[in-house]
Amino acid sequence: MPATTPATTTPVLIVGSGPTGLTLACDLARRSVSVRVIEKSDGFPRSSRAKGPNPRSLEVLEDLGVVDRVLAAGSGPLPMRKYRDGLPVADTDPSEASHPTPDAPYAHGRLIAQWRLEQILRDRLTEYGVHVELGSEAVGLSQGPDAVTVALADGRSVRARYVVGCDGGHSPVRKMLGVPFEGKTTEEQAMVCGDVEVDGLDRGFWHQWFDEDGAVMLCPIPGTRTGWWFQAGPERDGTGALVPPSLESFRRLFAKHTRLPAARLSQAALLSTYRVNERMADRYRVGRVLLAGDAAHVHSVAGGLGMNTGIQDAYNLGWKLARVVEGRSDARLLDTYEEERLPVAAWTLDITADRLRATLDAIRRPGGGLDSAVSGDTAGLGLGHPWSSLSAPGSTPRLRAGDRAPDAPCRDAATGARVRLFEAFAGPHFTLLGFGPDTAEALRATEAAYGDTVRAYGVDAGAPRDLTDDAGHARTAYGVAPDAALLVLVRPDNHVALIAPASQGTAISDYLDRLAATA
């Protein structure tokens, strides 16, 4: 088919329809930014792969309006049953001590098959009238001063003002840009994976058989009767080479380590061999093309941060890209995406490597297991970017600009109804919180001047849109003393932009004006 010249220019083209690309598409679509999503596959994958969103990603999914669907489709984290020589030696529940708090409503992540999470996000995207375009493989791109033209394998082309590569660790977009993907692949640290059917195992546990000569791990897939995630140390042939994953190989590994009949395992599908890769792009933006998710960074699966880091990349980028496309900010705002997220990726590579070392050490001893990969850091709630040029100076004893904005239960001062701060934040706007009556004037002035950008809420301030902090949870979470008057500007991605005393109300307008002028 001869190449065709695109007749129109779409504002944003997303290459790849995994969790990262779909999160970004949903975030842009809810801001009324026209977006297209292309996917090279002819059908949507059914791979379970990633085990589910962590607490921070659940907060992102709440803001996108899909968290209830995710919670309903998944299950809570399971206790882990560890075996040695086929016998159970220890049960461990890594989430046992985790409980929701007023400032963090999701105590732990959610187990859900990746294909099911993607389906939920696609359904949400469909509600905005956007559908993933299957069978559309990007094979070339060229940048001009005003747009990027992406050539497709079937001869078509797409012209877009901005392109975002969310196309995985082997990202063609990254390769077409010539962006280095430095790091290492540890060939000897390999694992075979797949979705299998197993009869006769207790689905209330994540089963882990660790022996001196290998391992098998089986985690039940929520929403299935006999479906399990299968992970194992691979077989090797007489030359030491890896035996490719297959039903027969999985059965041999299963029988060897579990001491159960091989026939209990059946219907192995979506088979893959995983090697530990630790790599990161050295930049996230080349002109009008950006990278997100695995296209920008890959690392050990220990800690479950791969999909979650991609979701959070998209959440950081979405509001910035929307502002630039809408003409509300200069394109230089997009540079803050790399400024904020590249250091997070570097941290992620470090923490996952550390958790992998801890896990490999733990499983050498009877009773050790994948719980060693879990730490408070892997929840994602402590990640911020106080170094960012978008984080204005200012702090409280509990919070800095750049930190994740905490939740807190309050009451609507007019109706008495319960209102969480996350409900106030939900949507594409900035949120200005004013603690104390001395902030009321600044709240009114900000919303009058920036009402299309900022939604202002008073916290015991006597403002038009006022919340009552009847239990003191909001002041505690934000580190605001009972008699203090403080302004806190929260970004659309629910990170703190600015903290200022009520007497410095012009700091809010100065910040927003700078954001509108450049970045």
Side-chain angles (χ1 to χ4, degrees), residues 108-189:
H108 39 67
R110 196 73 174 168
L111 282 176
I112 182 173
Q114 182 170 322
W115 70 264
R116 184 70 182 95
L117 176 61
E118 291 173 356
Q119 184 182 57
I120 290 170
L121 289 168
R122 284 198 306 271
D123 289 347
R124 182 59 165 165
L125 195 56
T126 298
E127 293 170 13
Y128 296 111
V130 181
H131 303 270
V132 175
E133 301 171 35
L134 293 170
S136 301
E137 180 181 1
V139 295
L141 62 83
S142 59
Q143 295 202 54
D146 302 315
V148 184
T149 299
V150 176
L152 304 183
D154 61 6
R156 294 178 297 139
S157 60
V158 180
R159 179 179 167 89
R161 289 180 60 191
Y162 290 94
V163 173
V164 187
C166 303
D167 49 345
H170 297 289
S171 172
V173 170
R174 186 189 65 241
K175 293 174 183 177
M176 286 186 276
L177 290 173
V179 173
F181 204 44
E182 301 294 341
K184 64 179 181 179
T185 299
T186 309
E187 294 289 343
E188 64 272 17
Q189 292 179 346

Side-chain angles (χ1 to χ4, degrees), residues 77 122 124 169-170 217 250 256 258 297 299 325 367 391 513 515:
R122 284 198 306 271
R124 182 59 165 165
H170 297 289
M217 294 152 278
F250 281 13
K256 174 183 177 181
T258 69
H297 43 74
H299 43 78
V325 166
S391 300
D513 289 344
L515 189 69

Side-chain angles (χ1 to χ4, degrees), residues 46 72-75 111-113 115-116 203 220-227:
R46 295 284 294 186
S75 69
L111 282 176
I112 182 173
W115 70 264
R116 184 70 182 95
R203 293 179 64 82
I221 301 174
T224 66
R225 188 177 61 83
T226 57

Side-chain angles (χ1 to χ4, degrees), residues 394-406:
S395 64
T396 73
R398 292 287 301 272
L399 209 60
R400 302 167 298 175
D403 288 348
R404 161 192 167 273

